[in-house]
Every structure is written in C-alpha cells, then in structure tokens.
Amino acid sequence: IHSLPLSFELTFSKHTGSVFCVSLDPATNSLAVTGGEDDKAYVWRVSDGEVVLECTGHKDSVTCAMFSHDSSLVATGDMSGMIKVWRVETKEEIWSFEVGDLEWLEWHPCAPVLLAGTDDGNVWMWKIPAGDCKTFQSPGCQATSGKVLPDGKRAVVGYEDGTVRVWDLKQGNAIHVVKGQDGHQGALTCLACNKDGSLVLSGSVDGCAKLINTTTGKVVGAFSVEGGKAKGSRDDEDSNSVESVGFCNILPLIAVAYLDGTLAIYDVSSQVLRHRCQHEAGIVHLQWEESSSVVSTCSLDGALRLWDARSGNMVSEYRGHTAEILDFTINREASLAVTASGDNQGKVFCLQRPDR
C-alpha cells in the first residue's frame, strides 16, 4: 500500500462551518462547488483554490450544490428549501424558488431542467430560468433520494416508507412502484444507476441494497452483510444502514457501503459477495472511477481510500482532514479527488497511483 499521508495539493478554507457537499463541473472538471453550514456556497478553481463565485442569500446550511450538464449553471439548495440558480459566466443569480425542507437536488443529464425532492414527499421539476414547473405527488412521506435516468425521460425516487418509484417526467405518472415484500423495510438513503439506466441500485436504513430493473420495475437482486460494528454506527437491533451504492462501468460489479464500515463488492449477475473491505469507521460515500475497477470511499475517520475491486485490496489512503469527510468527488481522469469535511475545509488530493 502506498500511504501518502499528506499528499494533498490544496486546501480550500473559505467556509466558516462544516462543508456538506461538493461537485465538479462536468464540462471541464476545473471548477468545484462546495456548500456549507455557513449558509454559503462557493464556486472555486481546483488548480489554485481561487473563488470564481460566492453564492450568498441562503438562510440555512447549503446541503446541495451542483453544476448543470453543460457547466453553465450552478444550483444551490439549503435545508430550509431555498433553491437558487447562478450563471457561472456572469456570476449572477438568475432564478430562485422556495420549497419545503429540501432532501435532494439533481440536474437533468442533457437539459437546463432541475429536480428537487422534499420533506413532504413532493418531487419538483423546473425549466431554468423560465421556471415552468411540474410536481410529482407523493404518498405523503419524504422523498429521500432521487436520480434522473440517463435517457432523461424518467426519474427514480426513493421514499422514507421504503418505496421506490420510477416517474415518467413527461407524463407525470409513476410507471413503477417497488414496495411490499420486494421493497425496502425502511427509509431510502441512496440510489445509483448503471451506465444505460437499465438497472438501479437502492440502499436503505434497513441494511439492504436492492437491484431494480427499470423497464419492468422488478427487484432482480438483494444484497446485505452480516456486519461487525464500527465507530459511529448506531446500535439499533440489527440495522446496518446502507450509506452509498454504485456500479462499476467496466466490470459487472457493484459496491455497497455500510454504516458499520464494510465496503462490499458483489458480482451483479451471480450476486456473490466478492470482497469485504473493512473500514475502522462508518463509510459516508463511495464513487467508482469512470473507467477502471477502482472504487473510492470517504469515512467518518476523515480518510479517503482507494480500493481495487478485483482484488479487494486498498490501493492508497489520503489523510489530512481533522474531521469526518462528508462528501467527495473524483474527476474523469481519476487524477484528482475533491473532498468536503466537518473540519470546515475542502481539499484537493492528487491521486498518485502505482500503475500510472
């Protein structure tokens, strides 16, 4: 293992509270946006940490911040439900709207269309900046996570009661509802889809990840682990919450991250557990590299780790944060990771790899 304890390139320290979220601009991967407990978001250059745009006017912690598909716009959302959209080039706020308490925010993959899920279970969709609006009515419980499928025509939404719905964005109706025996027995925590959107992976506080066929709405796989306990895990009788899920793009593998610190790598077709990568503390988030079998995790112990899913071995570990990492993202080339932490900092780590 090449342990590079202090190989971070840059620290972004403009935030005065915990940094909750981070995204990179999809067009060039040269700009990051971070949102924080200080009711602010910043757009900044990953090369030198220079602030490009300070997003002000929020009245609560900014928990969602992301670039539109062409990187021209940035959406920021705070916990109280205030959503703002900014034009990066002109550095101006071009749209704002208030919803109920915000759970998630997501841009459409190929249009200036923004979706949001709220505490009251509604999913909102707006054309930006015109503001034309559509809502997808819920069963009256939180819409805890959402993902627009790559075709741009459907969205998958997970709810607090354990149900998963596939929505037709044009017609406004739910095409599929996954619930009951097949569905989750607790609130949804995370969703991911494979490259063509034919499969969705959902994770829940019930300790289970489900594989759902988006065409048929059928659950075609279920994954859970008998867990050990890690620092930071809750002592609920048997719940070992799934915190993050993801598909490998180049091999038929999925990764499931649990609050007890287990990163499990499964074979999609056989559903066999291939590897268990054990962490000292709960895992917050995972991300597969765009075109390799390396999966990265960030954890409540403040470290970022890269794992080779073929062998189950840790490739490298990056430290430098003095508190938990709450979010991170990796660029397309897998040469940089940008992290957001409870120590009020964002960091850019250069991912040096033995095989490069």
Side-chain angles (χ1 to χ4, degrees), residues 7-33:
S7 61
F8 57 87
E9 294 297 292
L10 187 134
T11 299
F12 180 81
S13 44
K14 288 276 189 291
H15 286 285
T16 56
S18 292
V19 189
F20 290 126
C21 55
V22 60
S23 318
L24 281 169
D25 86 277
T28 66
N29 280 190
S30 63
L31 297 175
V33 59

Side-chain angles (χ1 to χ4, degrees), residues 81-101:
M82 167 76 76
I83 301 169
K84 294 177 178 290
V85 176
W86 313 76
R87 197 177 298 287
V88 179
E89 200 187 354
T90 58
K91 306 183 185 199
E92 59 184 348
E93 182 185 321
I94 61 162
W95 184 83
S96 130
F97 195 85
E98 249 178 294
V99 295
D101 290 1

Side-chain angles (χ1 to χ4, degrees), residues 204-250:
S204 161
V205 297
D206 68 8
C208 204
K210 307 264 185 189
L211 192 62
I212 300 164
N213 178 316
T214 56
T215 310
T216 63
K218 292 276 178 283
V219 173
V220 293
F223 307 86
S224 59
V225 291
E226 302 307 308
K229 282 266 182 274
K231 294 194 283 277
S233 63
R234 294 188 300 263
D235 282 326
D236 301 351
E237 313 75 64
D238 43 1
S239 95
N240 173 22
S241 178
V242 174
E243 295 296 300
S244 192
V245 291
F247 289 87
C248 178
N249 283 335
I250 63 157

Side-chain angles (χ1 to χ4, degrees), residues 10-20 32-45 48-56 321 339-341 343-348:
L10 187 134
T11 299
F12 180 81
S13 44
K14 288 276 189 291
H15 286 285
T16 56
S18 292
V19 189
F20 290 126
V33 59
T34 47
E37 193 181 12
D38 54 7
D39 306 354
K40 281 187 182 169
Y42 288 96
V43 177
W44 48 279
R45 287 201 301 252
D48 57 7
E50 196 62 42
V51 173
V52 172
L53 167 62
E54 186 178 339
C55 307
T56 56
H321 281 295
T339 53
S341 167
D343 64 9
N344 304 1
Q345 296 185 331
K347 284 185 189 288
V348 180

